[in-house]
Each structure stands twice: as C-alpha cells, then as structure tokens.
Amino acid sequence: MIENKDAQELVLNDVRNERIRQDRKWGDQVQNAHELWNVIGVEEVGEVARAIYEAGEIDHLYLEIIQVASVYVAWAESIRRRGEKYIEKHC
C-alpha cells in the first residue's frame, strides 16, 4: 500500500501530464463558456460511469478519472486566467 502523500503526488502528476496532453490536442480553451466547460466535464464523468458499469480494467477507470480531474482543472485555470472573481478563502 502507498502512503497518502505519495499517492497524492502520483495522482497530481498524472493530472498535470493529462493537462499537457489536452492542451496539445485541443489548444488553448481559455475562452470556453462555463456552459461548455460543464458539458465537457459531464461528458467525461459519463465515461467514468461507463467504465464502472462495464467493469473493465482498473487502468481504464483510473485513466477516465484522471481525464475528468484534468478537465475540471482546465476549467479552473480558465477562470484564473480570465481574472474572474472567485472566493479565495475556500482554496
């Protein structure tokens, strides 16, 4: 079993690498509307649900989870980059 700190580091690294892959594939999406970000995120969540339903390989499920996390990180990045107001005390 891996320690929590080590697992967190590995997962965040995987998310970071997936963000790089997404940027290369889709380009800069900073101007996406929140509605579009939500559609993209929910679609990715649906892929996680499908992976669970199909009871496939855990590697596939893990990859889908990383993709979901990466999409929501990209959305958060776009909010920061556009200078939109948010409540910092929760971060």
Side-chain angles (χ1 to χ4, degrees):
M1 193 145 205
I2 298 176
E3 294 293 323
N4 185 50
K5 183 176 126 186
D6 296 333
Q8 186 178 63
E9 174 104 11
L10 292 169
V11 169
L12 292 174
N13 190 53
D14 289 342
V15 169
R16 190 175 301 109
N17 288 335
E18 175 61 16
R19 281 291 303 115
I20 292 167
R21 188 193 73 78
Q22 288 172 351
D23 280 348
R24 286 183 182 147
K25 182 174 183 177
W26 302 108
D28 190 359
Q29 297 187 48
V30 70
Q31 295 304 321
N32 284 358
H34 296 300
E35 295 81 3
L36 179 56
W37 278 118
N38 191 50
V39 168
I40 295 167
V42 169
E43 187 271 336
E44 290 295 332
V45 169
E47 291 183 21
V48 170
R50 172 177 241 144
I52 292 168
Y53 177 76
E54 293 175 348
E57 297 292 322
I58 194 71
D59 290 349
H60 178 66
L61 176 59
Y62 180 81
L63 177 60
E64 295 296 345
I65 292 168
I66 294 300
Q67 289 175 353
V68 167
S70 299
V71 165
Y72 286 105
V73 165
W75 187 358
E77 288 172 6
S78 76
I79 290 170
R80 289 274 193 160
R81 289 179 60 203
R82 291 189 298 221
E84 294 182 8
K85 297 206 182 264
Y86 56 93
I87 300 171
E88 283 193 49
K89 68 179 181 180
H90 294 289
C91 297

